[in-house]
Amino acid sequence: MFNNIRSRRKSFLLFTTVAVLLTALAGYLLMHRLQTDSVQSIQQSIDAWRTTLTVIRWVAIAAVALGWNHLVAWLADATILSRAKATRLTGLRWRAVTWLVLLELVLGQGVLVNAIGLMVRA
């Protein structure tokens, strides 16, 4: 009984340490990038990738919308989900897609920021 708890704690500690190290590495790389390039060149590279990243996000949302039922059915067939949970998840597909679209519009496209900006100008 206690060995299982120790094993979980060790796994949790290991994963937490790896996450902290990866975050520190990403922060170091970003900081190094910011120090060697000008802000204008960074903004230009972000603008160059903006359309591509938007397309990737919309394709991911479409993949969730179209593949949701297949994934839920596969999980139910593999007995990872019970049939009752699979039925409930199948009914939640459009709710999940709606939330993903709203997140994309608010965070990815900045619709809320643009709307507030228009209200302030008016």
Side-chain angles (χ1 to χ4, degrees):
M1 176 179 162
F2 292 111
N3 289 335
N4 192 17
I5 292 173
R6 285 186 182 161
S7 169
R8 284 185 181 177
R9 285 183 183 168
K10 286 181 183 179
S11 298
F12 178 74
L13 182 62
L14 176 69
F15 287 129
T16 302
T17 304
V18 168
V20 167
L21 290 175
L22 288 175
T23 303
L25 178 67
Y28 172 76
L29 292 174
L30 287 173
M31 191 60 123
H32 178 70
R33 173 91 174 153
L34 288 175
Q35 289 177 353
T36 58
D37 288 344
S38 69
V39 174
Q40 293 166 344
S41 66
I42 293 171
Q43 185 63 40
Q44 288 172 352
S45 65
I46 289 172
D47 290 339
W49 279 93
R50 188 174 308 246
T51 304
T52 305
L53 293 174
T54 300
V55 168
I56 289 171
R57 288 191 302 264
W58 282 108
V59 167
I61 291 171
V64 167
L66 297 174
W68 183 277
N69 287 340
H70 300 294
L71 177 65
V72 170
W74 177 77
L75 290 172
D77 291 340
T79 64
I80 296 172
L81 289 175
S82 66
R83 289 293 172 190
K85 287 182 181 179
T87 304
R88 187 175 187 293
L89 280 176
T90 302
L92 294 176
R93 172 175 68 166
W94 293 112
R95 183 179 291 182
V97 170
T98 302
W99 276 108
L100 288 173
V101 168
L102 287 174
L103 281 172
E104 169 59 23
L105 291 175
V106 171
L107 298 177
Q109 303 300 317
V111 171
L112 186 61
V113 173
N114 292 338
I116 290 173
L118 287 174
M119 286 192 292
V120 168
R121 286 186 209 139

